[in-house]
Amino acid sequence: DTAVSQTPKYLVTQMGNDKSIKCEQNLGHDTMYWYKQDSKKFLKIMFSYNNKELIINETVPNRFSPKSPDKAHLNLHINSLELGDSAVYFCASSQETDLYLVYFGAGTRLSVL
Amino acid sequence: ELKVEQNPLFLSMQEGKNYTIYCNYSTTSDRLYWYRQDPGKSLESLFVLLSNGAVKQEGRLMASLDTKARLSTLHITAAVHDLSATYFCAGESGTYKYIFGTGTRLKVLA
Protein backbone atom coordinates (compact mmCIF):
# COMPACT_ATOMS: atom_id res chain seq x y z
CA ASP A 1 0.00 0.00 0.00
CA THR A 2 1.97 2.98 -1.32
CA ALA A 3 2.07 5.94 1.06
CA VAL A 4 2.71 8.65 -1.56
CA SER A 5 1.77 7.67 -5.07
CA GLN A 6 2.24 9.73 -8.18
CA THR A 7 1.33 9.10 -11.79
CA PRO A 8 2.60 8.75 -14.37
CA LYS A 9 6.01 7.30 -13.61
CA TYR A 10 7.36 8.34 -17.00
CA LEU A 11 6.27 11.19 -19.23
CA VAL A 12 7.76 11.84 -22.65
CA THR A 13 6.37 14.79 -24.56
CA GLN A 14 7.12 17.46 -27.11
CA MET A 15 8.06 21.04 -26.37
CA GLY A 16 5.06 23.28 -26.09
CA ASN A 17 2.69 20.61 -24.83
CA ASP A 18 0.77 20.76 -21.56
CA LYS A 19 0.97 17.88 -19.10
CA SER A 20 -0.18 16.97 -15.61
CA ILE A 21 1.24 14.83 -12.83
CA LYS A 22 -1.07 13.52 -10.14
CA CYS A 23 -0.15 12.83 -6.54
CA GLU A 24 -2.02 11.24 -3.68
CA GLN A 25 -0.94 10.41 -0.13
CA ASN A 26 -2.74 8.06 2.24
CA LEU A 27 -0.73 8.99 5.33
CA GLY A 28 -3.18 11.55 6.60
CA HIS A 29 -0.53 14.26 6.35
CA ASP A 30 -1.44 17.93 6.28
CA THR A 31 1.48 19.08 4.17
CA MET A 32 2.39 18.16 0.62
CA TYR A 33 5.22 19.22 -1.66
CA TRP A 34 6.58 19.16 -5.14
CA TYR A 35 10.32 18.83 -5.61
CA LYS A 36 12.35 18.87 -8.83
CA GLN A 37 15.50 16.79 -9.20
CA ASP A 38 17.73 17.69 -12.10
CA SER A 39 20.19 15.55 -14.00
CA LYS A 40 22.91 16.28 -11.43
CA LYS A 41 20.67 14.94 -8.68
CA PHE A 42 20.17 18.39 -7.21
CA LEU A 43 16.85 18.45 -5.38
CA LYS A 44 14.97 21.72 -5.20
CA ILE A 45 11.69 22.55 -3.57
CA MET A 46 9.02 23.96 -5.87
CA PHE A 47 5.83 24.19 -3.81
CA SER A 48 4.57 23.45 -0.32
CA TYR A 49 0.90 23.15 0.56
CA ASN A 50 -0.54 22.90 4.04
CA ASN A 51 -4.19 21.96 4.43
CA LYS A 52 -4.77 22.73 0.74
CA GLU A 53 -3.27 26.21 1.07
CA LEU A 54 -0.18 27.27 -0.84
CA ILE A 55 2.61 28.07 1.61
CA ILE A 56 5.77 28.02 -0.47
CA ASN A 57 6.13 28.97 -4.12
CA GLU A 58 9.80 28.90 -4.77
CA THR A 59 10.09 31.26 -7.75
CA VAL A 60 8.76 28.64 -10.08
CA PRO A 61 7.67 29.87 -13.55
CA ASN A 62 3.94 30.41 -13.69
CA ARG A 63 3.74 27.73 -16.36
CA PHE A 64 3.71 25.40 -13.35
CA SER A 65 0.40 25.39 -11.54
CA PRO A 66 -0.16 23.14 -8.55
CA LYS A 67 -3.66 22.28 -7.43
CA SER A 68 -4.73 20.72 -4.18
CA PRO A 69 -8.38 19.64 -4.28
CA ASP A 70 -8.06 18.17 -0.78
CA LYS A 71 -5.39 17.43 1.80
CA ALA A 72 -4.59 14.07 0.28
CA HIS A 73 -3.99 15.27 -3.28
CA LEU A 74 -1.56 17.68 -4.88
CA ASN A 75 -1.44 17.72 -8.65
CA LEU A 76 1.00 19.57 -10.86
CA HIS A 77 0.04 20.99 -14.23
CA ILE A 78 2.71 22.28 -16.57
CA ASN A 79 1.89 24.47 -19.56
CA SER A 80 4.02 25.07 -22.63
CA LEU A 81 6.70 22.58 -21.71
CA GLU A 82 10.31 23.54 -22.36
CA LEU A 83 13.45 21.46 -22.75
CA GLY A 84 14.70 22.70 -19.38
CA ASP A 85 11.69 21.19 -17.65
CA SER A 86 13.12 17.73 -18.20
CA ALA A 87 13.78 16.33 -14.72
CA VAL A 88 12.39 13.97 -12.13
CA TYR A 89 9.51 15.48 -10.18
CA PHE A 90 8.86 14.15 -6.70
CA CYS A 91 5.69 14.58 -4.77
CA ALA A 92 6.07 14.34 -1.00
CA SER A 93 4.21 14.82 2.25
CA SER A 94 4.97 15.41 5.90
CA GLN A 95 3.28 15.89 9.24
CA GLU A 96 4.26 17.92 12.29
CA THR A 97 3.53 15.01 14.63
CA ASP A 98 5.98 12.86 12.66
CA LEU A 99 8.86 15.30 13.16
CA TYR A 100 8.16 16.69 9.69
CA LEU A 101 9.84 13.67 8.11
CA VAL A 102 9.27 13.98 4.39
CA TYR A 103 7.87 10.94 2.63
CA PHE A 104 8.55 10.93 -1.08
CA GLY A 105 6.67 9.42 -3.95
CA ALA A 106 8.45 7.30 -6.54
CA GLY A 107 8.99 10.24 -8.86
CA THR A 108 7.87 11.14 -12.37
CA ARG A 109 10.61 11.25 -14.97
CA LEU A 110 9.66 13.97 -17.44
CA SER A 111 11.48 14.13 -20.77
CA VAL A 112 10.72 17.05 -23.04
CA LEU A 113 11.85 16.53 -26.64
CA GLU B 1 18.41 31.79 3.15
CA LEU B 2 19.68 28.43 4.30
CA LYS B 3 22.38 26.84 2.21
CA VAL B 4 23.37 23.21 2.69
CA GLU B 5 26.66 21.84 1.42
CA GLN B 6 27.87 18.29 1.50
CA ASN B 7 31.27 16.82 0.95
CA PRO B 8 32.51 14.85 -0.65
CA LEU B 9 30.24 14.84 -3.68
CA PHE B 10 31.52 11.45 -4.74
CA LEU B 11 32.92 8.73 -2.57
CA SER B 12 34.31 5.42 -3.66
CA MET B 13 35.36 3.15 -0.87
CA GLN B 14 36.34 -0.41 -0.25
CA GLU B 15 34.12 -2.80 1.63
CA GLY B 16 35.02 -2.97 5.28
CA LYS B 17 36.36 0.60 5.47
CA ASN B 18 35.02 3.50 7.51
CA TYR B 19 34.24 6.94 6.18
CA THR B 20 32.37 10.12 7.03
CA ILE B 21 30.15 12.37 4.94
CA TYR B 22 29.97 15.99 6.06
CA CYS B 23 27.01 18.34 5.87
CA ASN B 24 27.51 22.04 6.57
CA TYR B 25 24.62 24.44 6.74
CA SER B 26 24.70 28.20 6.72
CA THR B 27 22.00 29.32 9.17
CA THR B 28 19.99 27.93 12.04
CA SER B 29 17.90 24.88 11.24
CA ASP B 30 15.49 23.41 13.78
CA ARG B 31 16.02 19.93 12.43
CA LEU B 32 18.55 18.20 10.27
CA TYR B 33 17.62 15.21 8.14
CA TRP B 34 19.46 12.49 6.30
CA TYR B 35 17.96 10.68 3.32
CA ARG B 36 19.10 7.90 1.08
CA GLN B 37 18.35 7.56 -2.64
CA ASP B 38 19.09 4.40 -4.61
CA PRO B 39 19.68 4.86 -8.36
CA GLY B 40 16.44 5.54 -10.18
CA LYS B 41 14.47 5.38 -6.95
CA SER B 42 12.81 7.70 -4.51
CA LEU B 43 14.29 9.10 -1.33
CA GLU B 44 13.82 7.40 2.00
CA SER B 45 14.43 9.01 5.35
CA LEU B 46 17.26 7.72 7.50
CA PHE B 47 17.56 10.07 10.45
CA VAL B 48 16.17 13.25 11.91
CA LEU B 49 18.41 15.11 14.36
CA LEU B 50 16.69 17.53 16.66
CA SER B 51 19.23 19.09 18.95
CA ASN B 52 22.86 19.85 19.52
CA GLY B 53 24.84 16.70 20.25
CA ALA B 54 22.13 14.40 18.90
CA VAL B 55 23.39 11.07 17.68
CA LYS B 56 21.34 8.46 15.87
CA GLN B 57 22.49 5.05 14.71
CA GLU B 58 21.00 2.46 12.43
CA GLY B 59 23.11 -0.50 11.46
CA ARG B 60 26.37 0.71 9.93
CA LEU B 61 25.24 4.32 9.71
CA MET B 62 25.56 6.87 12.47
CA ALA B 63 24.49 10.50 12.19
CA SER B 64 25.40 13.33 14.53
CA LEU B 65 24.64 17.02 14.84
CA ASP B 66 26.71 19.94 16.09
CA THR B 67 24.48 23.00 15.91
CA LYS B 68 27.22 25.36 17.06
CA ALA B 69 29.44 24.36 14.18
CA ARG B 70 26.38 24.00 11.91
CA LEU B 71 27.68 20.59 10.96
CA SER B 72 26.16 17.17 10.69
CA THR B 73 28.05 14.02 9.88
CA LEU B 74 27.03 10.64 8.56
CA HIS B 75 29.56 8.03 9.55
CA ILE B 76 29.75 4.72 7.75
CA THR B 77 31.28 1.82 9.61
CA ALA B 78 32.66 -1.25 7.81
CA ALA B 79 30.95 -0.40 4.55
CA VAL B 80 29.14 -3.06 2.57
CA HIS B 81 28.04 -2.98 -1.04
CA ASP B 82 24.37 -2.52 -0.07
CA LEU B 83 25.19 0.93 1.26
CA SER B 84 25.95 2.18 -2.27
CA ALA B 85 23.51 5.04 -2.86
CA THR B 86 23.28 8.81 -2.86
CA TYR B 87 22.97 10.35 0.58
CA PHE B 88 21.36 13.73 1.14
CA CYS B 89 21.22 15.91 4.19
CA ALA B 90 18.49 18.52 4.48
CA GLY B 91 17.75 21.42 6.78
CA GLU B 92 14.77 23.64 7.36
CA SER B 93 14.63 27.15 5.97
CA GLY B 94 11.38 28.17 7.61
CA THR B 95 8.28 26.08 8.03
CA TYR B 96 7.56 23.59 5.27
CA LYS B 97 10.67 24.52 3.33
CA TYR B 98 13.41 21.93 3.30
CA ILE B 99 16.69 22.66 1.63
CA PHE B 100 18.62 19.66 0.44
CA GLY B 101 22.36 19.37 0.12
CA THR B 102 24.04 18.47 -3.13
CA GLY B 103 24.09 14.78 -2.26
CA THR B 104 27.04 12.42 -1.82
CA ARG B 105 27.21 9.54 -4.25
CA LEU B 106 28.67 6.62 -2.39
CA LYS B 107 29.99 3.58 -4.17
CA VAL B 108 31.21 0.67 -2.11
CA LEU B 109 33.56 -1.60 -3.99
CA ALA B 110 33.83 -5.29 -3.24
Side-chain angles (χ1 to χ4, degrees), chain A residues 31 33 35 37 40-41 43 45 48 50 55-56 58 90 99-102 104-106, chain B residues 1 31 33 35 37 40-43 45 48 50 88 92 95-98 100 102 105:
Chain A
T31 309
Y33 312 83
Y35 278 85
Q37 187 172 45
K40 295 183 179 176
K41 300 288 188 186
L43 198 63
I45 189 165
S48 296
N50 183 251
I55 304 296
I56 301 285
E58 198 57 14
F90 286 100
L99 299 175
Y100 293 108
L101 278 169
V102 180
F104 286 84
Chain B
E1 157 122 332
R31 280 165 279 267
Y33 301 84
Y35 290 85
Q37 185 178 33
K41 304 287 186 185
S42 184
L43 285 84
S45 60
V48 53
L50 302 178
F88 292 92
E92 288 182 280
T95 308
Y96 310 127
K97 185 174 177 180
Y98 302 95
F100 282 75
T102 46
R105 289 192 207 188

Side-chain angles (χ1 to χ4, degrees), chain A residues 9-13 19 21 64 78 81-82 85-89 108-112:
Chain A
K9 193 168 171 63
Y10 300 97
L11 197 46
V12 181
T13 188
K19 290 292 177 187
I21 307 172
F64 290 78
I78 315 168
L81 278 154
E82 300 177 357
D85 296 333
S86 296
V88 180
Y89 292 84
T108 295
R109 186 173 293 275
L110 172 64
S111 298
V112 182

Side-chain angles (χ1 to χ4, degrees), chain A residues 55-78:
Chain A
I55 304 296
I56 301 285
N57 179 343
E58 198 57 14
T59 61
V60 178
N62 58 16
R63 297 183 295 104
F64 290 78
S65 51
K67 282 192 173 45
S68 182
D70 55 58
K71 277 186 356 177
H73 295 84
L74 180 62
N75 304 320
L76 183 66
H77 187 75
I78 315 168

